[in-house]
Amino acid sequence: MVISMYAPNVKVIDVGRKPLDDYVFDAIISFREGVNDIIIKGRGDGISRAVDLYWRLKDRLGDSIELVNVEIGSERFKGRKRSYIAIHVRRRY
Amino acid sequence: MVISMYAPNVKVIDVGRKPLDDYVFDAIISFREGVNDIIIKGRGDGISRAVDLYWRLKDRLGDSIELVNVEIGSERFKGRKRSYIAIHVRRRY
């Protein structure tokens, strides 16, 4: 897991099968509660959804967030390689 | 289209529904023919496949390629917004 690499006020959102707006809501609440950085993580088919989530969040929050970094990686999962994406977003105000 | 922004020896590979190895082959041939930079582009559900393609290429070519940049974007397509990814890979030797 990557979580431990990040500071306490960094939140990792793992994009799974819930409706995207659930994750958008989760992110907005987190920013309001004082989180500065969010890592949107998507694995396998979830990679496309992670990018969609980023843009949905960007549409909602506009210039109050900035894109810090986009990382693509590969990890072992159940004996197979699986790609992931980690989209690092920061609150600007 | 983004293609025109790139120099002549930059190749754009649009990841569609063909088997991934077809694109891997296409990329390897391009590098051999003198292309220095490849932009792997995936749209919508193709985003996940674009990342898979990058890693398949990386597994094949190892340190002879480097990841220059990963861009995520959003564009209009048939009246809807659609996310995309553009993975910029460079030949190192």
Side-chain angles (χ1 to χ4, degrees):
Chain A
M1 288 299 291
V2 176
I3 295 173
S4 59
M5 290 168 55
Y6 301 115
N9 66 346
V10 175
K11 182 181 172 68
V12 177
I13 295 182
D14 276 303
V15 180
R17 301 194 174 278
K18 289 195 288 181
L20 272 191
D21 279 337
D22 288 16
Y23 301 110
V24 172
F25 188 72
D26 194 14
I28 290 173
I29 294 293
S30 298
F31 281 136
R32 286 210 184 132
E33 288 176 348
V35 165
N36 287 317
D37 294 77
I38 291 179
I39 313 291
I40 301 170
K41 191 154 184 189
R43 298 173 177 81
D45 293 337
I47 291 174
S48 304
R49 299 191 78 221
V51 178
D52 285 341
L53 171 58
Y54 167 75
W55 283 106
R56 205 170 288 193
L57 202 58
K58 186 69 182 167
D59 284 345
R60 292 277 189 95
L61 301 180
D63 287 341
S64 66
I65 60 169
E66 65 177 333
L67 180 62
V68 178
N69 185 47
V70 181
E71 180 198 342
I72 54 174
S74 180
E75 60 195 4
R76 287 251 157 223
F77 179 71
K78 293 182 179 173
R80 291 184 55 190
K81 280 192 175 181
R82 188 174 59 169
S83 302
Y84 68 85
I85 196 168
I87 304 170
H88 184 172
V89 181
R90 180 170 293 155
R91 192 173 62 156
R92 286 177 87 178
Y93 51 90
Chain B
M1 287 300 293
V2 176
I3 294 171
S4 58
M5 290 168 54
Y6 300 116
N9 65 345
V10 175
K11 183 182 171 68
V12 177
I13 295 182
D14 276 303
V15 180
R17 301 195 175 281
K18 288 195 288 182
L20 274 190
D21 278 337
D22 288 15
Y23 301 110
V24 172
F25 187 72
D26 194 14
I28 290 172
I29 294 292
S30 297
F31 280 137
R32 286 211 184 133
E33 287 176 349
V35 166
N36 287 317
D37 294 77
I38 290 179
I39 313 290
I40 301 170
K41 191 153 185 190
R43 298 173 176 81
D45 294 337
I47 292 175
S48 304
R49 299 190 78 221
V51 179
D52 286 341
L53 170 58
Y54 167 75
W55 283 105
R56 204 170 288 192
L57 201 58
K58 185 69 182 166
D59 284 345
R60 291 275 188 97
L61 301 180
D63 287 341
S64 67
I65 59 167
E66 65 176 333
L67 180 62
V68 177
N69 185 47
V70 181
E71 180 199 342
I72 53 175
S74 180
E75 60 194 3
R76 287 251 158 225
F77 179 71
K78 295 182 178 173
R80 292 184 55 191
K81 280 192 176 179
R82 186 173 59 168
S83 302
Y84 68 84
I85 196 167
I87 304 169
H88 183 169
V89 181
R90 182 170 292 154
R91 191 174 61 155
R92 286 177 88 178
Y93 49 93

